Amino acid sequence: MIESKISRIAPKSLELVYSGEDYFSRLETIIHNSQIELHIQMYLFENDATGKRIIAAIKEAASRQVKIFILLDGLGSLSFPSDIIDELRQDGINIRFFAPLFSAYTFYLGRRLHQKVIVADAKIALIGGINIADKYCGTPTEVPWLDYAVQLNSTIAQPLQELCRNIYFKKKRVSSRKIKSIFHVQEDALVRIIQNDWLKRKNEICDGYIKSICHAKKEIIIVGSYFLPGIRIIKALNKASKNNVKIKLILSGISDLPITRRATCFLYNKLLHYNIELYEWNQSVLHGKSAVIDGYWTTIGSFNLNNLSSYGSVEMNVEINSTVFSKMYQSHLNQIIAKCEPITLESLEIKTHFFSKFINLFSYFVTRLIEILITYTPYKRFYT
């Protein structure tokens, strides 16, 4: 378990990371600077230009005798070439798939390794929602998908590395231990690594959202790709609205999953009647999963506000209690909102006709049905 892993982080030891070159140059640097042990756990790893760039860095690290462990999701990285896997293994790199889609045991579908985590030498970690692929890095003709991560340069990376090792080697028991305060500085931050893995009774991210939303006093800003929350989060948002908390949702105007976006649109009318402000990001695909509440509490990671993340996937977020960090991130999100298209009851009425309402309704129920089938259909989920 890692639910109580807490550390006080000094400035520059906690950094917001943006999708695009910012993330991938940091990742490349972390790999190049690794000396002893490197863990990469990723949902999607594509063999495109960005993937090849990271693979080259990994091979170079292996040539320096760095112990490398790569864990990829069996569905998300299904297309990762077998010849590249063979090359990596020949270079002494440990690589395997989490819950292969087809195996000798069963047919896996619902429980996925959705977290995106890199840990090097128990000293530095990169955690967020960004996968390794061109669409997250961007190209000369395409803007990168909008997403975020957090870089931690701290001893909090030590138990995180232990967790990654245990996941890679399928150890069922992970010791629970607290990390005491490391730095006491003028602008300190309380940082927690939190997980969601419903099968193993870990609901820390979902519970953290609900608790923070219910206790909000002034303002909530949520970045919600694939936004289709369960009843508990909907009720929490409604409660916060009734308490006169200003709520802003940054949602997908462009999505790689059109049916999910349509399902989200079905909720617009209800959300607007809760006095929640809606903004659609149309400059690229929105893939971010984060929130800032009251300019103090921030969460960033792989957790989507939907039932798949709540009850199906293995997720990881960084939770940060810091006025300095949260206000900085809040300022950035307000700049994003300024570039979004606001959705109001009036604009919704103009752009939504009978047929589109039917498509939204149909998409909502189909998506919910798919979530139920994937998440709850019985199969041997304990094999990973």
Side-chain angles (χ1 to χ4, degrees), residues 79-135:
S79 63
F80 195 81
S82 57
D83 58 328
I84 301 297
I85 295 173
D86 292 338
E87 286 180 18
L88 293 173
R89 286 174 175 163
Q90 288 172 10
D91 289 338
I93 296 165
N94 303 281
I95 181 169
R96 77 172 185 89
F97 288 95
F98 180 97
L101 195 58
F102 299 98
S103 75
Y105 298 107
T106 186
F107 173 73
Y108 292 99
L109 193 58
R111 187 166 182 261
R112 309 304 339 154
L113 182 80
H114 195 243
Q115 64 188 31
K116 293 89 177 173
V117 186
I118 292 91
V119 188
D121 298 337
K123 293 180 180 179
I124 185 168
L126 199 56
I127 304 171
I130 304 169
N131 291 291
I132 298 175
D134 280 348
K135 50 198 172 189

Short mmCIF file of all heavy atoms in Angstrom, two decimals, residues 79-135:
data_model
loop_
_atom_site.label_atom_id
_atom_site.label_comp_id
_atom_site.label_asym_id
_atom_site.label_seq_id
_atom_site.Cartn_x
_atom_site.Cartn_y
_atom_site.Cartn_z
N SER A 79 -0.34 -3.05 -29.60
CA SER A 79 0.34 -2.96 -30.90
C SER A 79 1.85 -2.78 -30.77
O SER A 79 2.54 -2.67 -31.80
CB SER A 79 -0.24 -1.80 -31.71
OG SER A 79 -0.01 -0.56 -31.05
N PHE A 80 2.37 -2.75 -29.55
CA PHE A 80 3.83 -2.58 -29.39
C PHE A 80 4.53 -3.76 -30.05
O PHE A 80 4.27 -4.92 -29.73
CB PHE A 80 4.18 -2.51 -27.91
CG PHE A 80 5.56 -1.98 -27.64
CD1 PHE A 80 5.82 -0.62 -27.66
CD2 PHE A 80 6.61 -2.85 -27.37
CE1 PHE A 80 7.09 -0.12 -27.41
CE2 PHE A 80 7.89 -2.37 -27.13
CZ PHE A 80 8.12 -1.00 -27.15
N PRO A 81 5.44 -3.49 -30.99
CA PRO A 81 6.00 -4.57 -31.82
C PRO A 81 6.77 -5.63 -31.03
O PRO A 81 7.60 -5.30 -30.17
CB PRO A 81 6.94 -3.81 -32.77
CG PRO A 81 6.48 -2.40 -32.75
CD PRO A 81 5.96 -2.18 -31.37
N SER A 82 6.54 -6.88 -31.36
CA SER A 82 7.21 -7.98 -30.68
C SER A 82 8.71 -7.98 -30.98
O SER A 82 9.51 -8.38 -30.13
CB SER A 82 6.59 -9.32 -31.10
OG SER A 82 6.65 -9.49 -32.50
N ASP A 83 9.11 -7.52 -32.18
CA ASP A 83 10.55 -7.49 -32.48
C ASP A 83 11.28 -6.47 -31.63
O ASP A 83 12.45 -6.68 -31.25
CB ASP A 83 10.77 -7.23 -33.98
CG ASP A 83 10.15 -5.92 -34.44
OD1 ASP A 83 9.11 -5.52 -33.88
OD2 ASP A 83 10.71 -5.30 -35.37
N ILE A 84 10.60 -5.35 -31.29
CA ILE A 84 11.21 -4.36 -30.39
C ILE A 84 11.33 -4.94 -28.98
O ILE A 84 12.34 -4.73 -28.30
CB ILE A 84 10.38 -3.06 -30.35
CG1 ILE A 84 10.27 -2.45 -31.76
CG2 ILE A 84 10.99 -2.06 -29.38
CD1 ILE A 84 11.58 -2.03 -32.36
N ILE A 85 10.31 -5.70 -28.57
CA ILE A 85 10.37 -6.37 -27.26
C ILE A 85 11.57 -7.32 -27.20
O ILE A 85 12.32 -7.35 -26.22
CB ILE A 85 9.06 -7.12 -26.98
CG1 ILE A 85 7.89 -6.13 -26.84
CG2 ILE A 85 9.17 -7.97 -25.70
CD1 ILE A 85 6.53 -6.78 -26.73
N ASP A 86 11.77 -8.07 -28.27
CA ASP A 86 12.90 -9.00 -28.32
C ASP A 86 14.23 -8.25 -28.25
O ASP A 86 15.16 -8.67 -27.55
CB ASP A 86 12.84 -9.83 -29.61
CG ASP A 86 11.67 -10.81 -29.63
OD1 ASP A 86 11.16 -11.14 -28.53
OD2 ASP A 86 11.27 -11.22 -30.74
N GLU A 87 14.31 -7.12 -28.96
CA GLU A 87 15.53 -6.31 -28.93
C GLU A 87 15.82 -5.81 -27.52
O GLU A 87 16.96 -5.85 -27.05
CB GLU A 87 15.40 -5.12 -29.88
CG GLU A 87 15.50 -5.45 -31.35
CD GLU A 87 15.36 -4.21 -32.20
OE1 GLU A 87 15.53 -3.09 -31.65
OE2 GLU A 87 15.09 -4.33 -33.42
N LEU A 88 14.77 -5.31 -26.86
CA LEU A 88 14.95 -4.78 -25.50
C LEU A 88 15.41 -5.87 -24.55
O LEU A 88 16.30 -5.66 -23.72
CB LEU A 88 13.64 -4.15 -25.02
CG LEU A 88 13.18 -2.89 -25.77
CD1 LEU A 88 11.80 -2.46 -25.32
CD2 LEU A 88 14.17 -1.74 -25.57
N ARG A 89 14.80 -7.05 -24.67
CA ARG A 89 15.18 -8.16 -23.79
C ARG A 89 16.62 -8.61 -24.06
O ARG A 89 17.35 -8.96 -23.14
CB ARG A 89 14.20 -9.31 -23.96
CG ARG A 89 12.85 -9.02 -23.30
CD ARG A 89 11.83 -10.09 -23.58
NE ARG A 89 10.58 -9.84 -22.83
CZ ARG A 89 9.41 -10.41 -23.11
NH1 ARG A 89 9.32 -11.27 -24.12
NH2 ARG A 89 8.35 -10.12 -22.38
N GLN A 90 17.02 -8.60 -25.32
CA GLN A 90 18.40 -8.96 -25.65
C GLN A 90 19.40 -7.97 -25.07
O GLN A 90 20.55 -8.32 -24.78
CB GLN A 90 18.56 -9.03 -27.17
CG GLN A 90 17.89 -10.24 -27.81
CD GLN A 90 17.89 -10.18 -29.33
OE1 GLN A 90 18.55 -9.31 -29.93
NE2 GLN A 90 17.16 -11.08 -29.96
N ASP A 91 18.95 -6.72 -24.87
CA ASP A 91 19.80 -5.70 -24.25
C ASP A 91 19.76 -5.77 -22.73
O ASP A 91 20.32 -4.89 -22.05
CB ASP A 91 19.36 -4.30 -24.71
CG ASP A 91 19.69 -4.03 -26.16
OD1 ASP A 91 20.61 -4.72 -26.68
OD2 ASP A 91 19.06 -3.16 -26.78
N GLY A 92 19.08 -6.79 -22.19
CA GLY A 92 19.02 -6.96 -20.74
C GLY A 92 17.93 -6.18 -20.06
O GLY A 92 17.91 -6.04 -18.83
N ILE A 93 16.98 -5.66 -20.84
CA ILE A 93 15.87 -4.87 -20.29
C ILE A 93 14.72 -5.80 -19.95
O ILE A 93 14.32 -6.65 -20.75
CB ILE A 93 15.43 -3.79 -21.30
CG1 ILE A 93 16.58 -2.81 -21.54
CG2 ILE A 93 14.18 -3.07 -20.81
CD1 ILE A 93 16.39 -1.93 -22.76
N ASN A 94 14.18 -5.63 -18.74
CA ASN A 94 13.02 -6.41 -18.31
C ASN A 94 11.75 -5.74 -18.79
O ASN A 94 11.51 -4.57 -18.48
CB ASN A 94 13.00 -6.52 -16.79
CG ASN A 94 14.26 -7.13 -16.22
OD1 ASN A 94 14.43 -8.34 -16.24
ND2 ASN A 94 15.17 -6.28 -15.73
N ILE A 95 10.92 -6.45 -19.55
CA ILE A 95 9.69 -5.88 -20.06
C ILE A 95 8.60 -6.94 -20.08
O ILE A 95 8.84 -8.09 -20.45
CB ILE A 95 9.88 -5.29 -21.49
CG1 ILE A 95 8.57 -4.68 -22.00
CG2 ILE A 95 10.47 -6.30 -22.45
CD1 ILE A 95 8.73 -3.85 -23.27
N ARG A 96 7.42 -6.58 -19.62
CA ARG A 96 6.28 -7.48 -19.66
C ARG A 96 5.00 -6.67 -19.78
O ARG A 96 5.00 -5.43 -19.63
CB ARG A 96 6.23 -8.40 -18.44
CG ARG A 96 5.73 -7.76 -17.15
CD ARG A 96 5.54 -8.81 -16.06
NE ARG A 96 4.95 -8.26 -14.84
CZ ARG A 96 3.64 -8.19 -14.61
NH1 ARG A 96 2.77 -8.60 -15.54
NH2 ARG A 96 3.18 -7.68 -13.48
N PHE A 97 3.89 -7.38 -20.02
CA PHE A 97 2.58 -6.74 -20.15
C PHE A 97 1.73 -7.01 -18.92
O PHE A 97 1.74 -8.13 -18.39
CB PHE A 97 1.85 -7.23 -21.40
CG PHE A 97 2.44 -6.72 -22.68
CD1 PHE A 97 3.37 -7.46 -23.39
CD2 PHE A 97 2.08 -5.47 -23.16
CE1 PHE A 97 3.92 -6.99 -24.55
CE2 PHE A 97 2.63 -4.98 -24.34
CZ PHE A 97 3.55 -5.74 -25.04
N PHE A 98 1.02 -5.99 -18.49
CA PHE A 98 0.05 -6.12 -17.41
C PHE A 98 -1.27 -6.63 -18.00
O PHE A 98 -1.81 -6.02 -18.93
CB PHE A 98 -0.18 -4.76 -16.74
CG PHE A 98 -1.18 -4.77 -15.61
CD1 PHE A 98 -0.75 -4.86 -14.30
CD2 PHE A 98 -2.54 -4.65 -15.86
CE1 PHE A 98 -1.65 -4.85 -13.25
CE2 PHE A 98 -3.45 -4.64 -14.82
CZ PHE A 98 -3.02 -4.74 -13.51
N ALA A 99 -1.77 -7.75 -17.48
CA ALA A 99 -3.04 -8.30 -17.92
C ALA A 99 -3.13 -8.39 -19.45
O ALA A 99 -3.90 -7.66 -20.08
CB ALA A 99 -4.22 -7.48 -17.39
N PRO A 100 -2.33 -9.27 -20.07
CA PRO A 100 -2.43 -9.43 -21.53
C PRO A 100 -3.87 -9.69 -21.94
O PRO A 100 -4.61 -10.38 -21.24
CB PRO A 100 -1.54 -10.64 -21.80
CG PRO A 100 -0.60 -10.69 -20.64
CD PRO A 100 -1.37 -10.19 -19.46
N LEU A 101 -4.24 -9.12 -23.07
CA LEU A 101 -5.64 -9.25 -23.51
C LEU A 101 -6.03 -10.72 -23.67
O LEU A 101 -7.13 -11.12 -23.34
CB LEU A 101 -5.83 -8.51 -24.83
CG LEU A 101 -7.28 -8.24 -25.25
CD1 LEU A 101 -8.02 -7.45 -24.17
CD2 LEU A 101 -7.33 -7.51 -26.57
N PHE A 102 -5.11 -11.51 -24.20
CA PHE A 102 -5.34 -12.95 -24.32
C PHE A 102 -4.21 -13.67 -23.59
O PHE A 102 -3.04 -13.35 -23.78
CB PHE A 102 -5.38 -13.40 -25.78
CG PHE A 102 -6.48 -12.75 -26.57
CD1 PHE A 102 -6.23 -11.64 -27.37
CD2 PHE A 102 -7.78 -13.24 -26.50
CE1 PHE A 102 -7.24 -11.05 -28.09
CE2 PHE A 102 -8.80 -12.64 -27.22
CZ PHE A 102 -8.53 -11.54 -28.02
N SER A 103 -4.56 -14.63 -22.77
CA SER A 103 -3.53 -15.39 -22.07
C SER A 103 -4.04 -16.80 -21.85
O SER A 103 -5.17 -17.14 -22.19
CB SER A 103 -3.22 -14.74 -20.72
OG SER A 103 -4.26 -15.00 -19.78
N ALA A 104 -3.20 -17.62 -21.26
CA ALA A 104 -3.58 -19.00 -20.98
C ALA A 104 -4.65 -19.08 -19.92
O ALA A 104 -5.34 -20.09 -19.79
CB ALA A 104 -2.35 -19.79 -20.54
N TYR A 105 -4.82 -17.99 -19.15
CA TYR A 105 -5.76 -18.03 -18.04
C TYR A 105 -7.17 -17.58 -18.43
O TYR A 105 -8.16 -18.21 -18.09
CB TYR A 105 -5.26 -17.11 -16.91
CG TYR A 105 -3.94 -17.55 -16.34
CD1 TYR A 105 -2.78 -16.83 -16.62
CD2 TYR A 105 -3.86 -18.66 -15.53
CE1 TYR A 105 -1.56 -17.21 -16.09
CE2 TYR A 105 -2.64 -19.07 -15.00
CZ TYR A 105 -1.49 -18.34 -15.28
OH TYR A 105 -0.30 -18.73 -14.77
N THR A 106 -7.25 -16.47 -19.17
CA THR A 106 -8.57 -15.88 -19.39
C THR A 106 -8.50 -14.80 -20.46
O THR A 106 -7.45 -14.51 -21.01
CB THR A 106 -9.11 -15.28 -18.09
OG1 THR A 106 -10.45 -14.84 -18.30
CG2 THR A 106 -8.29 -14.10 -17.63
N PHE A 107 -9.64 -14.21 -20.73
CA PHE A 107 -9.74 -13.05 -21.62
C PHE A 107 -9.89 -11.81 -20.75
O PHE A 107 -10.87 -11.65 -20.04
CB PHE A 107 -10.95 -13.20 -22.54
CG PHE A 107 -11.24 -11.99 -23.37
CD1 PHE A 107 -10.44 -11.66 -24.44
CD2 PHE A 107 -12.32 -11.17 -23.08
CE1 PHE A 107 -10.70 -10.54 -25.21
CE2 PHE A 107 -12.60 -10.06 -23.84
CZ PHE A 107 -11.78 -9.75 -24.91
N TYR A 108 -8.88 -10.94 -20.76
CA TYR A 108 -8.91 -9.74 -19.93
C TYR A 108 -9.51 -8.58 -20.73
O TYR A 108 -9.28 -8.45 -21.90
CB TYR A 108 -7.50 -9.34 -19.52
CG TYR A 108 -6.83 -10.30 -18.57
CD1 TYR A 108 -5.92 -11.23 -19.05
CD2 TYR A 108 -7.08 -10.24 -17.22
CE1 TYR A 108 -5.28 -12.10 -18.17
CE2 TYR A 108 -6.45 -11.09 -16.34
CZ TYR A 108 -5.55 -12.02 -16.82
OH TYR A 108 -4.92 -12.87 -15.97
N LEU A 109 -10.20 -7.70 -20.03
CA LEU A 109 -10.69 -6.52 -20.71
C LEU A 109 -10.76 -5.33 -19.76
O LEU A 109 -10.19 -4.28 -20.01
CB LEU A 109 -12.07 -6.78 -21.32
CG LEU A 109 -12.55 -5.73 -22.31
CD1 LEU A 109 -11.57 -5.59 -23.47
CD2 LEU A 109 -13.93 -6.10 -22.86
N GLY A 110 -11.43 -5.48 -18.63
CA GLY A 110 -11.76 -4.34 -17.79
C GLY A 110 -10.63 -3.77 -16.96
O GLY A 110 -10.42 -2.57 -16.94
N ARG A 111 -9.87 -4.60 -16.27
CA ARG A 111 -8.87 -4.09 -15.35
C ARG A 111 -7.58 -3.81 -16.11
O ARG A 111 -6.86 -4.71 -16.51
CB ARG A 111 -8.61 -5.10 -14.22
CG ARG A 111 -7.70 -4.56 -13.13
CD ARG A 111 -7.75 -5.45 -11.90
NE ARG A 111 -6.92 -4.91 -10.84
CZ ARG A 111 -5.69 -5.34 -10.56
NH1 ARG A 111 -5.17 -6.32 -11.27
NH2 ARG A 111 -5.01 -4.81 -9.58
N ARG A 112 -7.30 -2.52 -16.28
CA ARG A 112 -6.16 -2.10 -17.07
C ARG A 112 -5.16 -1.35 -16.20
O ARG A 112 -5.53 -0.72 -15.20
CB ARG A 112 -6.57 -1.16 -18.22
CG ARG A 112 -7.68 -1.61 -19.11
CD ARG A 112 -7.56 -2.91 -19.81
NE ARG A 112 -6.25 -3.50 -19.99
CZ ARG A 112 -6.06 -4.82 -20.12
NH1 ARG A 112 -7.07 -5.65 -20.07
NH2 ARG A 112 -4.85 -5.29 -20.29
N LEU A 113 -3.89 -1.41 -16.58
CA LEU A 113 -2.86 -0.58 -15.96
C LEU A 113 -2.91 0.78 -16.65
O LEU A 113 -2.33 0.97 -17.72
CB LEU A 113 -1.48 -1.21 -16.13
CG LEU A 113 -0.34 -0.42 -15.48
CD1 LEU A 113 -0.29 -0.71 -13.99
CD2 LEU A 113 0.99 -0.76 -16.13
N HIS A 114 -3.63 1.72 -16.06
CA HIS A 114 -3.85 3.01 -16.69
C HIS A 114 -2.89 4.08 -16.16
O HIS A 114 -2.80 5.17 -16.72
CB HIS A 114 -5.31 3.45 -16.48
CG HIS A 114 -5.74 4.56 -17.36
ND1 HIS A 114 -6.13 5.79 -16.88
CD2 HIS A 114 -5.83 4.65 -18.72
CE1 HIS A 114 -6.46 6.58 -17.89
NE2 HIS A 114 -6.28 5.92 -19.02
N GLN A 115 -2.16 3.80 -15.09
CA GLN A 115 -1.23 4.79 -14.53
C GLN A 115 -0.04 5.00 -15.45
O GLN A 115 0.33 4.12 -16.22
CB GLN A 115 -0.76 4.34 -13.15
CG GLN A 115 0.05 3.07 -13.12
CD GLN A 115 0.31 2.58 -11.71
OE1 GLN A 115 -0.49 2.79 -10.81
NE2 GLN A 115 1.45 1.93 -11.49
N LYS A 116 0.53 6.22 -15.37
CA LYS A 116 1.70 6.57 -16.16
C LYS A 116 2.78 7.05 -15.20
O LYS A 116 2.73 8.19 -14.71
CB LYS A 116 1.39 7.68 -17.17
CG LYS A 116 0.43 7.25 -18.28
CD LYS A 116 -1.01 7.46 -17.93
CE LYS A 116 -1.92 7.09 -19.09
NZ LYS A 116 -3.34 7.12 -18.73
N VAL A 117 3.75 6.19 -14.90
CA VAL A 117 4.72 6.44 -13.85
C VAL A 117 6.13 6.12 -14.33
O VAL A 117 6.35 5.08 -14.93
CB VAL A 117 4.42 5.59 -12.60
CG1 VAL A 117 5.35 5.97 -11.46
CG2 VAL A 117 2.97 5.74 -12.17
N ILE A 118 7.06 7.02 -14.04
CA ILE A 118 8.48 6.77 -14.28
C ILE A 118 9.21 7.07 -12.97
O ILE A 118 8.99 8.14 -12.37
CB ILE A 118 9.05 7.65 -15.41
CG1 ILE A 118 8.47 7.24 -16.77
CG2 ILE A 118 10.57 7.53 -15.48
CD1 ILE A 118 7.23 7.96 -17.16
N VAL A 119 10.04 6.15 -12.52
CA VAL A 119 10.85 6.36 -11.31
C VAL A 119 12.29 5.96 -11.62
O VAL A 119 12.53 4.89 -12.18
CB VAL A 119 10.34 5.52 -10.12
CG1 VAL A 119 11.07 5.92 -8.85
CG2 VAL A 119 8.83 5.67 -9.93
N ALA A 120 13.24 6.82 -11.24
CA ALA A 120 14.65 6.55 -11.49
C ALA A 120 15.45 6.65 -10.21
O ALA A 120 15.38 7.66 -9.50
CB ALA A 120 15.21 7.52 -12.53
N ASP A 121 16.20 5.58 -9.91
CA ASP A 121 17.18 5.57 -8.82
C ASP A 121 16.59 5.94 -7.46
O ASP A 121 17.31 6.42 -6.58
CB ASP A 121 18.35 6.51 -9.14
CG ASP A 121 19.11 6.08 -10.38
OD1 ASP A 121 19.03 4.89 -10.74
OD2 ASP A 121 19.78 6.94 -10.98
N ALA A 122 15.28 5.74 -7.30
CA ALA A 122 14.59 6.07 -6.04
C ALA A 122 14.78 7.53 -5.64
O ALA A 122 14.69 7.89 -4.47
CB ALA A 122 15.06 5.14 -4.92
N LYS A 123 15.04 8.39 -6.64
CA LYS A 123 15.31 9.80 -6.36
C LYS A 123 14.39 10.76 -7.12
O LYS A 123 14.15 11.87 -6.66
CB LYS A 123 16.76 10.14 -6.73
CG LYS A 123 17.79 9.46 -5.85
CD LYS A 123 19.19 9.85 -6.30
CE LYS A 123 20.25 9.17 -5.44
NZ LYS A 123 21.63 9.53 -5.88
N ILE A 124 13.90 10.32 -8.28
CA ILE A 124 13.11 11.21 -9.12
C ILE A 124 11.95 10.45 -9.74
O ILE A 124 12.10 9.28 -10.11
CB ILE A 124 14.00 11.86 -10.21
CG1 ILE A 124 13.23 12.89 -11.02
CG2 ILE A 124 14.63 10.80 -11.10
CD1 ILE A 124 14.12 13.74 -11.90
N ALA A 125 10.80 11.10 -9.80
CA ALA A 125 9.61 10.44 -10.35
C ALA A 125 8.84 11.40 -11.24
O ALA A 125 8.85 12.62 -11.03
CB ALA A 125 8.70 9.95 -9.22
N LEU A 126 8.19 10.83 -12.23
CA LEU A 126 7.35 11.57 -13.16
C LEU A 126 6.00 10.86 -13.20
O LEU A 126 5.92 9.69 -13.60
CB LEU A 126 8.00 11.60 -14.53
CG LEU A 126 7.58 12.64 -15.56
CD1 LEU A 126 7.73 14.06 -15.01
CD2 LEU A 126 8.39 12.48 -16.83
N ILE A 127 4.93 11.53 -12.74
CA ILE A 127 3.61 10.92 -12.63
C ILE A 127 2.58 11.83 -13.29
O ILE A 127 2.57 13.03 -13.04
CB ILE A 127 3.22 10.70 -11.15
CG1 ILE A 127 4.27 9.87 -10.42
CG2 ILE A 127 1.85 10.04 -11.03
CD1 ILE A 127 4.06 9.80 -8.92
N GLY A 128 1.70 11.26 -14.11
CA GLY A 128 0.67 12.08 -14.73
C GLY A 128 -0.26 11.28 -15.60
O GLY A 128 -0.52 10.10 -15.36
N GLY A 129 -0.77 11.93 -16.66
CA GLY A 129 -1.70 11.29 -17.56
C GLY A 129 -1.16 11.13 -18.96
O GLY A 129 -1.91 10.77 -19.88
N ILE A 130 0.14 11.39 -19.15
CA ILE A 130 0.74 11.46 -20.48
C ILE A 130 1.36 10.12 -20.86
O ILE A 130 2.20 9.58 -20.14
CB ILE A 130 1.81 12.57 -20.53
CG1 ILE A 130 1.19 13.91 -20.12
CG2 ILE A 130 2.43 12.66 -21.92
CD1 ILE A 130 2.20 15.02 -19.89
N ASN A 131 0.92 9.58 -21.99
CA ASN A 131 1.48 8.35 -22.55
C ASN A 131 2.65 8.67 -23.47
O ASN A 131 2.90 9.83 -23.80
CB ASN A 131 0.41 7.59 -23.34
CG ASN A 131 -0.67 7.01 -22.45
OD1 ASN A 131 -0.43 6.08 -21.68
ND2 ASN A 131 -1.87 7.55 -22.55
N ILE A 132 3.35 7.63 -23.90
CA ILE A 132 4.49 7.81 -24.81
C ILE A 132 4.01 7.60 -26.24
O ILE A 132 3.81 6.49 -26.71
CB ILE A 132 5.62 6.82 -24.47
CG1 ILE A 132 6.13 7.10 -23.05
CG2 ILE A 132 6.76 6.94 -25.48
CD1 ILE A 132 7.17 6.10 -22.56
N ALA A 133 3.78 8.71 -26.95
CA ALA A 133 3.28 8.68 -28.32
C ALA A 133 3.37 10.08 -28.91
O ALA A 133 3.38 11.08 -28.18
CB ALA A 133 1.83 8.18 -28.36
N ASP A 134 3.40 10.15 -30.23
CA ASP A 134 3.50 11.44 -30.93
C ASP A 134 2.38 12.40 -30.55
O ASP A 134 2.60 13.61 -30.45
CB ASP A 134 3.47 11.22 -32.45
CG ASP A 134 4.81 10.77 -33.01
OD1 ASP A 134 5.81 10.84 -32.27
OD2 ASP A 134 4.83 10.33 -34.17
N LYS A 135 1.18 11.86 -30.35
CA LYS A 135 0.03 12.74 -30.09
C LYS A 135 0.17 13.51 -28.78
O LYS A 135 -0.45 14.56 -28.61
CB LYS A 135 -1.28 11.96 -30.13
CG LYS A 135 -1.31 10.72 -29.30
CD LYS A 135 -2.45 9.82 -29.76
CE LYS A 135 -2.43 8.46 -29.10
NZ LYS A 135 -3.41 7.53 -29.72
#
